[in-house]
Amino acid sequence: MEGLPQNPWAALAYLVAGVCFILALRGLSSPTSSQRGNRFGMIGMTIAVVTTLITHVPSTLSACTYPGFGVICAGGRDVDWSTVGLILAAIGIGAAIGVVTARRIAMTAMPQLVAAFHSLVGLAAVLVAGAAFLNPGAFGIAEAGQIFTQSRIEMGLGVAIGAITFSGSVIAFLKLNGNMGGKPIMLPGRHVINLAVLAGILGLIAYFTQDQSPWVFWTITGLSFAIGFLLIIPIGGADMPVVVSMLNSYSGWAAAAMGFTLHNTAMIITGALVGSSGAILSYIMCRAMNRSFISVIAGGFGGDSGGGTAAAATDRPWKRGSAEDAAFLMSQAEQVIIVPGYGMAVAQAQHVLREMGDKLKEEGVRVKYAIHPVAGRMPGHMNVLLAEANVPYDEVFELEDINSEFAQTDVAFIIGANDVVNPAAKTDKSSPIYGMPVFDVNKAKTVLFIKRSMGGVGYAGVDNDVFYQDNTMMLLSDAKKMVEEIVKALG
């Protein structure tokens, strides 16, 4: 079939690239090996790109000979260097944009950057599917003008998943970037509309196998763009970690589907790895929130911090503390566990927080950081921020590894977190977060809770009993400003 690499070395190169991608995922599973994982990923992608260029450049360089300094291909045709130049120029432009973005983007903006990248992967899948549909002969997927049935299935699924990924990622980006509110936007009859549109897409893909009329393909594309918007708009801020990992999975499956259309083994392998790992991560995120995947998509859970029972919060007695109080309590402690959340990211307080930890360690205090799986707006958000601030990896612990230590801890220091430390998840069956694993900060001898005001609640829209415990001291201020004052008080 035209387009398939004939050189056996190409298949071997794609296999090596696939192994590198697997090693990259393995490396990224731990902070201590993440840099090595990134390097494997870059090596694998370089091998895949170079191999694809060599085997798919016009006139197929794999069938060429190299007399002197020239390049002569089968049939006496020269390589179309103008096309090669355009490809290399596109790669150069993309690389330049990537370098500039990586240097300028703040770590606190990483979730929306990831969402933006997912949208580009989805759009690329749509463009490839559109090009294949308009000129199937160039892709080797047609005979006498008729696209092969299996290619129609691949093309239909690829354009549908790609369009959903693109439009869904755009909405996720707007929500994460603050251009849209985090509160769910509930459309009337949304479940019926979503099911009808999804059924229509699947039905049209089935019909596309029998009729390759342009209206069928472009209707699939249009409906897929629409359902991406409709699926993500009702999802609130609390579910954003699941949404990000879910869109990551979608982008992988879109790439895999297009890999079949392009006869590119590397895209199939890479897409399958990204798709499956994203799906597994989405499952882990859902378990961490005690939510099913279907409930995330259909439920619209989570809203802005101004809703829920905020009005009633100030009616209950609570204790207010100062930076000096917090500095004294922590300097006298044997162990302090810090629980960061999205509020820390918004305040960009990770660097001064590490400085506070260093000051405490100079006083002989053991300092540990407790990271909840869904803290922040994407999987690993808090780990990334702490790594940026050079917090030692051996001081960072996941929920299951540290939760039992709160009962023997002198001070639990909560900065920007709320729902992930709310005991209602274990005690109140009527709570929307009931069953969600949370940190047992209420068992610590003293709880220091940084919060902007007592008038707000978490993204789940429920009040937190920890605020009103006898052992809790509320530190009402901007997170970064409060920690800076604590550092000054520590001397």
Side-chain angles (χ1 to χ4, degrees), residues 130-217:
F133 176 74
L134 294 173
N135 190 10
F139 291 80
I141 59 173
E143 188 173 306
Q146 291 297 308
I147 302 174
F148 301 132
T149 300
Q150 68 270 23
S151 296
R152 296 189 200 184
I153 296 173
E154 296 159 4
M155 194 182 303
L157 291 174
V159 75
I161 300 172
I164 292 171
T165 303
F166 172 76
S167 54
S169 297
V170 168
I171 295 297
F173 171 84
L174 294 175
K175 284 177 174 282
L176 290 167
N177 204 45
N179 303 106
M180 291 180 65
K183 188 176 181 179
I185 301 174
M186 301 299 188
L187 302 176
R190 66 187 187 281
H191 298 315
V192 175
I193 295 172
N194 290 346
L195 288 173
V197 174
L198 286 172
I201 292 170
L202 293 175
L204 284 171
I205 292 175
Y207 182 69
F208 187 54
T209 61
Q210 307 300 317
D211 182 357
Q212 67 177 54
S213 298
W215 74 266
V216 181
F217 178 82

Side-chain angles (χ1 to χ4, degrees), residues 413-470:
F413 186 84
I414 320 301
I415 174 170
N418 196 334
D419 296 330
V420 298
V421 297
N422 194 334
K426 295 185 176 183
T427 60
D428 185 2
K429 292 185 177 181
S430 64
S431 172
I433 62 172
Y434 181 73
M436 173 175 141
V438 294
F439 288 117
D440 296 327
V441 298
N442 56 312
K443 296 181 180 180
K445 294 178 183 177
T446 301
V447 179
L448 299 176
F449 212 119
I450 296 182
K451 199 170 183 292
R452 282 187 173 273
S453 71
M454 293 300 294
V457 290
Y459 272 97
V462 294
D463 203 5
N464 193 333
D465 287 340
V466 173
F467 300 160
Y468 317 105
Q469 291 183 166
D470 292 336

Side-chain angles (χ1 to χ4, degrees), residues 122-429:
L123 184 60
V126 172
L127 293 176
V128 170
F133 176 74
L134 294 173
N135 190 10
F139 291 80
I141 59 173
E143 188 173 306
Q146 291 297 308
I147 302 174
F148 301 132
T149 300
Q150 68 270 23
S151 296
R152 296 189 200 184
I153 296 173
E154 296 159 4
M155 194 182 303
L157 291 174
V159 75
I161 300 172
I164 292 171
T165 303
F166 172 76
S167 54
S169 297
V170 168
I171 295 297
F173 171 84
L174 294 175
K175 284 177 174 282
L176 290 167
N177 204 45
N179 303 106
M180 291 180 65
K183 188 176 181 179
I185 301 174
M186 301 299 188
L187 302 176
R190 66 187 187 281
H191 298 315
V192 175
I193 295 172
N194 290 346
L195 288 173
V197 174
L198 286 172
I201 292 170
L202 293 175
L204 284 171
I205 292 175
Y207 182 69
F208 187 54
T209 61
Q210 307 300 317
D211 182 357
Q212 67 177 54
S213 298
W215 74 266
V216 181
F217 178 82
W218 297 117
T219 302
I220 293 172
T221 306
L223 289 176
S224 300
F225 278 125
I227 194 63
F229 288 116
L230 294 172
L231 285 174
I232 307 301
I233 281 178
I235 299 178
D239 281 334
M240 271 302 144
V242 180
V243 172
V244 172
S245 62
M246 176 189 71
L247 291 171
N248 178 56
S249 178
Y250 288 177
S251 67
W253 297 125
M258 289 302 96
F260 284 103
T261 299
L262 296 174
H263 312 301
N264 190 295
T265 307
M267 283 186 67
I268 297 171
I269 294 173
T270 306
L273 285 172
V274 173
S276 56
S277 61
I280 293 170
L281 186 57
S282 298
Y283 172 73
I284 293 172
M285 294 293 105
C286 287
R287 282 192 60 188
M289 301 173 71
N290 192 40
R291 308 259 289 147
S292 70
F293 181 77
I294 298 300
S295 70
V296 171
I297 297 301
F301 168 74
D304 282 326
S305 58
T309 58
T314 55
D315 296 338
R316 300 170 62 181
W318 52 278
K319 292 189 297 186
R320 181 168 187 166
S322 66
E324 291 74 16
D325 296 329
F328 175 77
L329 288 169
M330 287 192 289
S331 64
Q332 300 301 308
E334 290 186 8
Q335 176 167 289
V336 173
I337 298 180
I338 300 171
V339 183
Y342 185 61
M344 184 197 75
V346 173
Q348 300 187 38
Q350 62 270 27
H351 293 283
V352 68
L353 184 68
R354 191 222 66 217
E355 186 180 353
M356 185 190 80
D358 291 343
K359 291 276 188 181
L360 291 173
K361 286 186 286 185
E362 290 173 4
E363 298 284 340
V365 181
R366 284 194 311 275
V367 177
K368 297 183 178 181
Y369 297 81
I371 306 298
H372 195 279
V374 295
R377 290 298 169 265
M378 74 174 200
H381 193 187
M382 294 300 104
N383 301 77
V384 170
L385 294 179
L386 295 180
E388 183 201 18
N390 295 319
V391 171
Y393 295 138
D394 58 1
E395 294 178 6
V396 180
F397 297 86
E398 296 181 0
L399 183 145
E400 60 270 19
D401 297 323
I402 200 172
N403 211 20
S404 60
E405 293 191 30
F406 282 101
Q408 292 82 41
T409 294
D410 297 296
V411 178
F413 186 84
I414 320 301
I415 174 170
N418 196 334
D419 296 330
V420 298
V421 297
N422 194 334
K426 295 185 176 183
T427 60
D428 185 2
K429 292 185 177 181

